[in-house]
């Protein structure tokens, strides 16, 4: 148990530049407290002391703002940064060295029984506000962008953004800067650029505009969308 606590504190020091000392991390990081409470609740749950386990998890939720169902299985060195509003469902499984930011939901999509929550692989980063809903797997070494809504399986070493989530990067290599989860492509802007190009081509085909006016519209569109590049 002591080795687990030391590893939990060390992963905070490794991933959060605001963490100054082990003493500070031990007493002030709600993500750690939620994980430690979950370990107690999970042991009670496995012994089928379901009500007591839920009482422990609800007390932890009240104190930390992080709701982890006692039935969820969590691997080693999970780091929940800030953590307010994080929800982890009953049949969720989380691998090792995972980072979860505030507002993340690992939930289900219906009232079905059995496995209904996602399985998260190793070395995964899930950005702020992301929703991963359903019984499928997020592969190893993946990034889930902030506010993404992921509804289907994600292969290893992929980056997912948008609503619904789209795979925008898959190169088989681990992301070097795991904390920089804001510098991600925007598939919505890419789609708007493509649609604008199609509209201009159609206008030219039907002869609704001369070449000079069409070119002017194209330049205005490029200038507008260029402001939203990431």
């Amino acid at each position: 148990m002591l080795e687990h606590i030391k590893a939990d504190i060390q992963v905070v020091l490794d991933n959060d530049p605001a963490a100054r000392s082990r003493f500070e991390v031990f007493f002030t990081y709600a993500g750690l407290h939620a994980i430690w409470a979950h370990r107690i609740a999970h042991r009670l749950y496995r012994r089928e002391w379901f009500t007591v386990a839920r009482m422990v998890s609800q007390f932890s939720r009240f104190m930390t703002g992080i709701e982890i169902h006692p039935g969820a299985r969590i691997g080693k060195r999970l780091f929940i940064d800030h953590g307010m509003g994080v929800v982890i469902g009953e049949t969720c499984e989380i691998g090792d060295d995972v980072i979860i930011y505030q507002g993340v939901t690992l939930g289900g999509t219906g009232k079905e029984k059995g496995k209904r929550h996602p399985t998260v692989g190793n070395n995964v980063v899930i950005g702020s506000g992301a929703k991963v809903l359903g019984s499928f797997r997020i592969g190893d070494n993946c990034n889930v962008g902030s506010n993404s809504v992921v509804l289907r399986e994600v292969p290893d070493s992929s980056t997912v953004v948008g609503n619904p989530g789209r795979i925008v990067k898959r190169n088989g290599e681990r992301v070097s800067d795991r904390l920089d989860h804001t510098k991600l492509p925007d598939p919505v802007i890419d789609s708007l650029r493509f649609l604008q190009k199609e509209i201009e081509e159609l206008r030219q085909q039907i002869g609704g505009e001369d070449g000079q006016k069409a070119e002017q519209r194209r330049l205005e569109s490029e200038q507008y969308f260029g402001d939203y590049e990431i």
Side-chain angles (χ1 to χ4, degrees):
M1 178 64 71
L2 183 60
E3 292 301 319
H4 282 301
I5 292 175
K6 288 181 178 179
D8 293 335
I9 294 174
Q10 187 59 48
V11 78
V12 175
L13 295 171
D14 291 341
N15 288 285
D16 188 357
R20 293 179 175 83
S21 68
R22 294 178 181 274
F23 181 86
E24 177 186 32
V25 171
F26 184 89
F27 285 102
T28 66
Y29 272 68
L32 275 185
H33 302 157
I35 292 170
W36 293 340
H38 171 72
R39 287 180 183 154
I40 297 172
H42 186 63
R43 288 188 177 184
L44 294 170
Y45 187 87
R46 292 182 63 183
R47 295 183 180 182
E48 299 186 355
W49 294 1
F50 300 124
T51 301
V52 179
R54 286 304 300 267
M55 291 173 65
V56 172
S57 69
Q58 289 300 299
F59 178 76
S60 173
R61 175 181 179 270
F62 175 77
M63 296 298 295
T64 66
I66 300 168
E67 182 173 348
I68 307 176
H69 193 283
R73 298 181 180 180
I74 294 178
K76 300 176 182 177
R77 298 177 296 278
L78 171 64
F79 176 39
I80 302 176
D81 193 11
H82 298 290
M84 181 61 70
V86 167
V87 177
I88 299 175
E90 179 185 12
T91 60
C92 185
E93 300 177 31
I94 299 176
D96 299 336
D97 301 300
V98 173
I99 297 177
I100 296 176
Y101 290 88
Q102 65 271 19
V104 167
T105 298
L106 303 178
T109 57
K111 298 181 180 180
E112 67 275 10
K113 300 292 185 179
K115 175 69 171 166
R116 60 190 183 278
H117 298 99
T119 297
V120 180
N122 302 320
N123 303 306
V124 174
V125 178
I126 306 179
S128 304
K131 314 300 178 188
V132 184
L133 307 175
S135 177
F136 55 85
R137 185 174 186 272
I138 303 293
D140 298 339
N141 307 315
C142 287
N143 271 6
V144 178
S146 298
N147 294 316
S148 299
V149 179
V150 184
L151 302 173
R152 62 184 63 182
E153 185 165 341
V154 179
D156 294 347
S157 303
S158 300
T159 298
V160 179
V161 299
N163 180 8
R166 303 171 181 85
I167 298 172
V168 295
K169 182 178 180 182
R170 184 183 179 189
N171 57 15
E173 297 179 358
R174 184 172 178 174
V175 177
S176 58
D177 187 357
R178 301 180 64 226
L179 287 176
D180 193 5
H181 60 280
T182 60
K183 295 182 178 178
L184 300 172
D186 190 334
V188 176
I189 295 299
D190 291 341
S191 297
L192 289 174
R193 289 197 181 98
F194 177 78
L195 289 174
Q196 183 65 32
K197 181 180 178 182
E198 290 287 312
I199 291 170
E200 297 302 335
E201 291 177 354
L202 289 172
R203 281 175 173 165
Q204 291 183 27
Q205 289 178 10
I206 64 177
E209 290 183 326
D210 57 31
Q212 184 176 0
K213 186 177 291 186
E215 181 64 17
Q216 179 67 24
R217 284 184 176 272
R218 188 188 68 79
L219 292 175
E220 290 175 356
S221 175
E222 285 294 323
Q223 183 178 6
Y224 176 80
F225 290 125
D227 296 336
Y228 293 90
E229 290 183 352
I230 296 179

